[in-house]
């Protein structure tokens, strides 16, 4: 784990459930919502918490870290999906690693060209409680015949899947600690690259350039090594540490993800709250100066 990743001592939900607040505590800052816990349990992998909040409706935390909430999840799910799905040469077969709340699958399946989507989530309780407590996030994806849900290890899945078996691979994991740690290393990214068909696109959440600065830089650098190029895109996820978030895209044949295909974009833009081709252009351009310098080899 990088020095910028959360340590068990530095992160966790507020210790006082009667306070009327649910917080992620990270590096001396609390990221909280007025609300209360409605379900909590330890799965074999992590502590799973469902909360009810005034501002954003019901939400999900894993090991005390915010994952999603009903009334702001679009900031994240539209951003991780549409740059990839609007630009890959084909989108018949999509793989999502993680994403057990169903939001990423839902956005992918809004593209009529997707014929088959493998969703591989390690924690069955995340899926079960998302379906039960946060049904709007997965929405129609859960009953879509194109979706094949596997509760299993995404790292093993990418190791074992055949070469060139997907058009798009999306990694919707949590922070690089606990079960998600192996979703940020070279071996994993090399397998993701191997799975892509010609013209395929890879996407991953790549942490905050502020709260997880080193993890963010390391992730973009590693993807550039593995794919030859990769580009981070910046946006906001209000409850996440610093609120400032990133997603990084790579492709086999150059940065095709920078240019959404008009016919794909038209099919989804009207149903989006945040993403549009224009928003995407700005979000790739919004690379902070310090990240641009660091990636260019400067300080
Ligand atoms: N710091 C939280 C990072 C979590 C990224 N994944 C969120 C899952 C939403 N589907």
């Amino acid at each position: 784990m990088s020095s910028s990743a959360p340590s068990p001592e530095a992160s966790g939900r507020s210790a006082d459930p009667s306070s009327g607040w649910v917080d992620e505590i990270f590096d001396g800052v609390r990221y909280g919502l007025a609300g209360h816990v409605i379900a909590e349990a330890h799965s074999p992998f992590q502590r799973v918490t469902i909360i009810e909040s005034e501002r954003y409706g019901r939400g999900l935390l894993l090991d005390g870290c915010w994952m999603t909430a009903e009334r702001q999840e679009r900031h994240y799910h539209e951003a991780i999906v549409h740059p990839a799905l609007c630009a890959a040469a084909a989108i018949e077969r999509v793989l999502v690693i993680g994403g057990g709340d169903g939001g990423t699958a839902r956005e992918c399946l809004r593209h009529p060209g997707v014929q088959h989507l493998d969703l591989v989530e390690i924690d069955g309780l995340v899926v079960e409680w998302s379906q039960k407590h946060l049904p709007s996030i997965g929405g129609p994806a859960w009953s879509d015949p194109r979706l094949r849900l596997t509760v299993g290890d995404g790292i093993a899945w990418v190791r074992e899947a055949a070469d060139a078996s997907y058009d798009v691979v999306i990694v919707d994991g949590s922070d690089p600690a606990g079960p998600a740690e192996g979703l940020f290393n070279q071996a994993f990214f090399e397998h993701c690259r191997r799975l892509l068909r010609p013209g395929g696109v890879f996407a991953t959440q790549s942490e905050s350039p502020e709260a997880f600065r080193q993890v963010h830089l390391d992730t973009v650098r590693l993807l550039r090594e593995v794919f030859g190029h990769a580009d981070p895109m910046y946006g906001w996820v209000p409850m996440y540490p610093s609120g400032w978030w990133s997603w990084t895209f790579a492709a086999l044949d150059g940065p095709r993800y920078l240019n959404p295909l008009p016919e794909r974009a038209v099919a989804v833009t009207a149903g989006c709250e945040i993403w549009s081709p224009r928003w995407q252009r700005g979000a790739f351009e919004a690379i902070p100066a310090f990240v641009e310098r660091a990636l260019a080899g400067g300080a």
Side-chain angles (χ1 to χ4, degrees), residues 6 24 60 62 65-69 73 76-77 80 98-104 137 171-176 184 205-208 212 237 239-241 245 247:
E24 175 177 344
L60 166 71
L62 298 179
C65 300
W66 290 110
M67 292 295 125
T68 196
E73 50 90 12
Y76 179 97
H77 293 124
I80 199 171
D101 53 64
T104 293
I137 294 183
V171 182
D172 179 13
S174 40
D175 306 308
F184 287 81
Q205 74 90 1
S206 48
E207 302 287 320
S208 166
F212 302 95
V237 183
M239 304 157 335
Y240 286 2
W245 212 252
W247 302 266

Side-chain angles (χ1 to χ4, degrees), residues 85 90-96 108 114-119 165-170:
L85 272 284
I91 54 173
E92 278 88 6
R93 287 181 56 83
V94 176
L95 172 63
V96 176
C108 289
V114 174
Q115 292 174 5
H116 177 86
L117 187 149
D118 277 312
L119 175 61
S165 47
Y166 294 99
D167 298 299
V168 175
V169 174
I170 298 178

